[in-house]
Amino acid sequence: MKKLVFFLISTMIFSALTAQTAINTAQLVAKEAAKKDTLNDAVAYLKKQVPSLTVAAEKRAGYAFLGGVQEQMGLYADAQKSYVTAAGIAAGDAAGMPKKSNEQLVLDAVRCALSCGDSAAADSYLNSAVRGSKTESIQAYVKLYEQWSALCKVQTESGLSEPVAMLKTYAELPSMKMVAPAVLLTLWHVSGEQGYADKLKKNYPNSPETAVVKGAIQQLPHPFWYFVPRIGSAIPEVEQEPVTYQQSPDEKPETKTASSTPATQSAPSKSKTEKSAEPEKQEKPLYQQLGLFRDEGNAKSLVEQLKKKGFAARITSEKRPSGTTYYIVVVDENKDGTMGNELRNAGFECYGVY
């Protein structure tokens, strides 16, 4: 009898320890990933470890975390798949990991699909159960992302009228307050109208969207921003002082716009001391790219603005396998390799092409 009691107690203790280990598995995997030297190493580690997690809640949290790291690295197609996999696992939140509903995970997948130009996938996710959500904030993002998807399909300037009209309506609706900064930024980017930038600065001074129009942070070169025709050119202000921004009180911590640069990385890189000890080879870019347009007229408009500021801008064209021709506005790099800084100081978005 004593042996039986000892066996039962031992089994209970082992079961409790096993449960505690399971609860912390996803968290431990995330922490180990954060110790890796590079984000690529972290992703490789996560892709190997997450599928082997046995508890459903842990696996769900693991895939959601992997999707977040991939998204911040710009691996949008991979991030989209990770978010969808997480959303497809019927389980609750794992202890010690960020809490996200399946609806939020689906919206994360939509955002990544749009970021890699896959509007068809974005529409399929938006037409899932998330459309019937009872949560007002989820509904607001569904409506916003629908218009972003519509913009992705626009081929000519005239095609902007319907999505722009919808966005103008959304900018005034109380039920869309959650996404109002993103709506205003989109309208400003597409139309170039200063009024939308003024509303952002007045009503949402600490938002990342306001930091974009002030030139404190830059819009990332996602297809959504660069392939959509534009009625006018939205030129950020020249920000002389560094600007910090924070989320508004009613904004979810996990929400992002497709335009803002991430404030933090999910997995840290090497310390500043370690970086300074490594030799760095600075390769000078061939030229700075400022925009990619389907409409040649929009490209010419941007060139004129650049020339007024003293920059020798030019247009190159590129025909894609789909048959669509894109017009690319570029400025050749100077001998000192400082053209990028000069353009940004003048208020123009750009990135180097090597």
Side-chain angles (χ1 to χ4, degrees), residues 218-285:
Q218 295 182 42
Q219 292 168 283
L220 295 177
H222 300 318
F224 169 75
W225 295 112
Y226 281 82
F227 291 178
V228 174
R230 295 162 74 176
I231 300 170
S233 296
I235 306 299
E237 302 169 8
V238 179
E239 187 64 50
Q240 300 298 334
E241 298 294 334
V243 174
T244 57
Y245 63 88
Q246 59 191 30
Q247 292 167 314
S248 57
D250 57 353
E251 188 176 0
K252 298 288 185 183
E254 66 274 12
T255 58
K256 309 170 189 171
T257 67
S259 64
S260 60
T261 54
T264 58
Q265 293 284 3
S266 293
S269 57
K270 293 182 179 180
S271 67
K272 292 182 179 179
T273 304
E274 290 175 321
K275 282 184 177 179
S276 61
E278 295 177 355
E280 294 185 0
K281 293 184 178 180
Q282 301 269 341
E283 183 184 356
K284 189 174 71 173

Side-chain angles (χ1 to χ4, degrees), residues 155-190:
Q155 298 290 323
T156 63
E157 189 176 304
S158 61
L160 292 171
S161 58
E162 186 173 341
V164 166
M166 291 299 297
L167 289 168
K168 286 181 178 179
T169 299
Y170 290 160
E172 305 299 327
L173 293 180
S175 61
M176 297 292 285
K177 185 180 179 181
M178 172 73 69
V179 296
V183 170
L184 291 171
L185 180 70
T186 306
L187 287 168
W188 171 76
H189 180 88
V190 172

Side-chain angles (χ1 to χ4, degrees), residues 19-202:
Q20 183 63 35
T21 302
I23 288 173
N24 292 320
T25 299
Q27 189 177 16
L28 290 173
V29 168
K31 287 181 177 179
E32 285 299 315
K35 295 177 182 178
K36 302 301 179 183
D37 290 337
T38 68
L39 284 172
N40 284 327
D41 291 340
V43 166
Y45 175 80
L46 289 167
K47 289 174 74 173
K48 181 179 180 180
Q49 296 297 323
V50 170
S52 63
L53 297 174
T54 56
V55 179
E58 298 296 320
K59 182 172 288 190
R60 178 180 179 276
Y63 274 112
F65 183 79
L66 172 59
V69 178
Q70 290 169 326
E71 183 177 3
Q72 291 193 28
M73 291 179 66
L75 304 173
Y76 301 113
D78 292 339
Q80 169 190 331
K81 293 175 183 177
S82 295
Y83 285 137
V84 169
T85 301
I89 298 174
D93 295 308
M97 297 293 286
K99 298 184 182 299
K100 277 194 175 185
S101 68
N102 279 358
E103 291 177 339
Q104 289 171 324
L105 289 168
V106 171
L107 289 179
D108 289 339
V110 172
R111 185 178 60 250
C112 289
L114 291 174
S115 293
C116 61
D118 191 351
S119 58
D123 289 343
S124 69
Y125 301 144
L126 288 170
N127 287 324
S128 66
V130 72
R131 185 175 294 281
S133 174
K134 303 299 182 183
T135 305
E136 185 174 349
S137 61
I138 296 295
Q139 279 295 324
Y141 275 95
V142 168
K143 291 176 181 177
L144 170 65
Y145 289 172
E146 280 179 337
Q147 297 313 310
W148 279 1
S149 182
L151 287 172
C152 283
K153 301 182 187 75
V154 172
Q155 298 290 323
T156 63
E157 189 176 304
S158 61
L160 292 171
S161 58
E162 186 173 341
V164 166
M166 291 299 297
L167 289 168
K168 286 181 178 179
T169 299
Y170 290 160
E172 305 299 327
L173 293 180
S175 61
M176 297 292 285
K177 185 180 179 181
M178 172 73 69
V179 296
V183 170
L184 291 171
L185 180 70
T186 306
L187 287 168
W188 171 76
H189 180 88
V190 172
S191 71
E193 293 182 19
Q194 184 60 32
Y196 298 120
D198 293 339
K199 284 185 179 181
L200 271 172
K201 290 186 289 185
K202 178 182 178 181

